[in-house]
Structures are given as C-alpha cells and as structure tokens.
Amino acid sequence: MKRALITGITGQDGSYLADLLLEKGYAVWGVVRRTSTQRHERIEHLLDRLRIAQGDVTDLSSMVRLLEEIQPHEVYNLAAQSFVPASWQEPLLTAQTTALGVTNLLEAIRIVDRSIRFYQASSSEMFGKVRESPQTEKTPFYPRSPYGVAKLYGHWITVNYRESYGIHASSGILFNHESPRRGLEFVTRKVARAAARIALGLEETLRLGNLEARRDWGFAGDYVDAMWRMLQEDEPSDFVIATGVAHSVRDLVDVAFRHVGIEWEPHLVLDPALKRPAEVDHLVGDASRARDVLGWEPTVDFESLVKMMVDHDLGALQGGAEAAVPAGAGAGRLAAASREGRGILS
C-alpha cells in the first residue's frame, strides 16, 4: 500500500486530494498544525479513514520527524497562506509558509529519503503581469503580489532541489480552481453564496471590486487528479494545469444569478476599496503539455462549476445550515478583508 503525506489537508485541494488517494487505495496522512481547536470541516467525511499528524511546515525538525515516522512514498505540499489579498497585509507570514515552508519539506526529503516523490502547488499568480497569452510552462514570470512572489520562490526552490539532488520533485502551475469547498473569502464562493442568499431573501446586495478581471476557472476535483498524475511519471517536471478558457468576474456573476432567475445589476454594489493594490487582469493557461504527457483533461466547464457552487449554497441554506464550510472557516477573514479595504479576487 502506498503512503502519502498531504500538507494543507484541511483546505479545499487537500480534501479533494485525500478523497482521490483514498479511492486509489493509498494510506493517507494529513498534516495539521497544533492548535487549541481543530477545524476539519472539509475532511469530516474522511476522518475514519485518514491519519492526522501534527506538524508545521515552517519547522524543519517537525518535517524531518514526520518523514522518519511515516516513511511516505509521496508528499503533496498544499500548505500555504493561500488568500492573495491577505498577502499584502501579512507578507512575512506569507513568505514563511508559502515560500520557506517548501524549502523545509524539500530539505527534510533530502535528509531522510531522496526517493520520496514531491509535489509542489505552484500558482498562475506567478505569471502576474502576463508577458504572453495563453500562459505555458515557458512563459516568463512577473508576480504582482507577495503571494505570487512567495509561490515563485517555492517553485524555483523545487526546481533547484530536483536538479541539485535528483529528487523526484514536480510543480503544478495551477490556474484558479474552485468548488463548493472553497472558502467564503474567495470571489467565486462569495458570488455563489450571495446569489443563493439573495434568491432566498436573506440578503440584498453583493459588493465587488473589479468586474473585468479575467481568470481561467476550473474544478478543484479535476486539478488534484493532475497532481497525482505528475507523481506517477518516471521523470519529474512542471506542468500548467488549466481549462484554457478565461471568464470575467462579470461572467461569474451573470451565470450565478441567471441560475437562480434573478437580475444581478440591481443587487450589485461596486466598491473601489475591494480592488487589489496591483491587479492581475488576465490569466488563461495552455495545458497542452499536461494533456499530451499526463493524459489529463478537465471534466467540468465554467458554467457547470458555477451552478454546482450555487446549488450547494442553496441546499445548505434551505437545509438550515449556512454552508458546508462553516463561517469560521472563511467569513472571519472575509469580513476583515472588507473592513481593511482588501480585494477579494483570488
């Protein structure tokens, strides 16, 4: 039985990846930080099949200890401060977790067992102020946020350890990927939830910043499949994972509100305070190499994804629950971001 270790297992991607690996017969360990309270909402349905290990990617010694104890065949690093707007408010925390945490994991692999296969969650935010469109593995990087800069460090240190120590280390340059498990602070979930709440008479307005920013949005369940495929290859490499189709925030709002039969214009409030200090206007990826080498294809299109998210929130609200991911898992940061004038597009 293969053993896999997932950092960031309580997040959206971590939970979908755990689903996938368990279906494939893996023994799966998830790394969580020691805290006074544990939030496992996204993996609640898996707790009887998962093994939870306490550790912190910012602490090399704890990563070494976990690798020695678990002896995993594969390590998936999904741990990060992952909310882009918050990276301007917390740049040092973002650097420690999203950048240096990658180094700690790679160094632990170098020390303990170089045969361990490693996946690094890189991001389309590394392209930032894009130099060409669509973006491929060869497109120059130009990050436009502390988050993007930290992800770029993590990406290049992964390449460095691969080339310096022969570690099977691959990076997935993932474009935006969403799901009903997405945190409430992200624009896709914010829009889906607002459409559901307005349709049920629980809310009147939706506040957004930049309606024209464009993203390549896919389904998180598809994207974790690409992660797994990378680590099954004989040779490690880096892959863009994307749908190849960009949509604007305006498109997102339109699909969500049409799905519940409501005109969105009367409910929309444009708030300049919700714009990013440095916007990334147009991200769209070319995943041709992933298709050719990995045999990977996205299975959920944009409209289906948005409708899936709206339906989830409608069901949760009608069932008496605010959302499957409780407010504490995202709403607190969303409220803080709004108070401090941070953007919400990620």
Side-chain angles (χ1 to χ4, degrees), residues 191-192 195-196 217 247-262 264 301-311:
V191 169
W217 278 298
H247 294 274
S248 67
V249 176
R250 184 185 299 275
D251 297 334
L252 169 66
V253 175
D254 186 61
V255 172
F257 278 74
R258 274 195 292 108
H259 188 51
V260 294
I262 295 175
W264 56 267
D301 64 23
F302 174 72
E303 287 212 9
S304 299
L305 172 64
V306 177
K307 291 175 182 178
M308 175 200 306
M309 296 176 71
V310 173
D311 287 342

Side-chain angles (χ1 to χ4, degrees), residues 125-132 140-144 279-283:
E125 288 286 330
M126 301 187 308
F127 294 121
K129 190 174 183 179
V130 298
R131 301 302 198 173
E132 64 181 14
F141 298 118
Y142 192 147
R144 295 267 282 172
E279 184 57 88
V280 175
D281 292 315
H282 189 87
L283 291 175

Side-chain angles (χ1 to χ4, degrees), residues 54 62 78 85 127 158 165 212 235 279 284 293 297 312 337:
Q54 292 186 332
S62 74
L78 310 182
F127 294 121
T158 300
Y165 302 115
E212 306 312 320
E235 296 296 327
E279 184 57 88
V284 58
V293 177
E297 291 273 0
H312 164 83

Side-chain angles (χ1 to χ4, degrees), residues 37-112:
T37 58
Q38 296 291 340
R39 306 199 69 90
H40 295 153
E41 292 84 6
R42 293 182 181 89
I43 56 172
E44 192 76 39
H45 62 295
L46 299 175
L47 288 179
D48 60 339
R49 302 166 62 199
L50 282 176
R51 298 135 195 235
I52 300 298
Q54 292 186 332
D56 189 335
V57 296
T58 65
D59 178 12
L60 173 61
S61 63
S62 74
M63 294 298 99
V64 169
R65 173 182 56 80
L66 285 181
L67 296 189
E68 289 177 338
E69 291 178 357
I70 297 169
Q71 298 181 8
H73 300 95
E74 299 171 2
V75 170
Y76 295 84
N77 181 38
L78 310 182
Q81 188 299 101
S82 60
F83 188 44
V84 178
S87 70
W88 278 285
Q89 303 296 322
E90 300 173 334
L92 296 181
L93 173 64
T94 301
Q96 289 165 354
T97 56
T98 308
L100 296 181
V102 186
T103 310
N104 284 330
L105 271 168
L106 287 165
E107 183 66 4
I109 290 172
R110 186 190 69 82
I111 292 169
V112 175

Side-chain angles (χ1 to χ4, degrees), residues 20 24 76 117-120 137 162 168-174 222-242 286-299:
L20 176 72
K24 292 184 178 295
Y76 295 84
R117 297 192 171 198
F118 177 77
Y119 171 82
Q120 166 59 15
E137 293 83 1
R162 178 170 73 214
H168 192 294
S170 296
S171 288
I173 306 174
L174 271 57
D222 287 338
Y223 285 42
V224 300
D225 176 60
M227 299 176 189
W228 174 78
R229 288 173 185 257
M230 289 179 211
L231 295 200
Q232 311 317 304
E233 290 294 306
D234 292 336
E235 296 296 327
S237 189
D238 306 321
F239 294 90
V240 163
I241 304 299
D286 179 354
S288 297
R289 187 162 181 270
R291 289 177 170 86
D292 294 341
V293 177
L294 304 177
W296 177 84
E297 291 273 0
T299 66

Side-chain angles (χ1 to χ4, degrees), residues 135-168:
Q135 294 89 55
T136 72
E137 293 83 1
K138 295 182 179 180
T139 300
F141 298 118
Y142 192 147
R144 295 267 282 172
S145 66
Y147 171 84
V149 172
K151 278 292 186 183
L152 187 54
Y153 175 93
H155 178 80
W156 281 120
I157 201 67
T158 300
V159 173
N160 184 260
Y161 269 69
R162 178 170 73 214
E163 295 179 351
S164 300
Y165 302 115
I167 294 172
H168 192 294

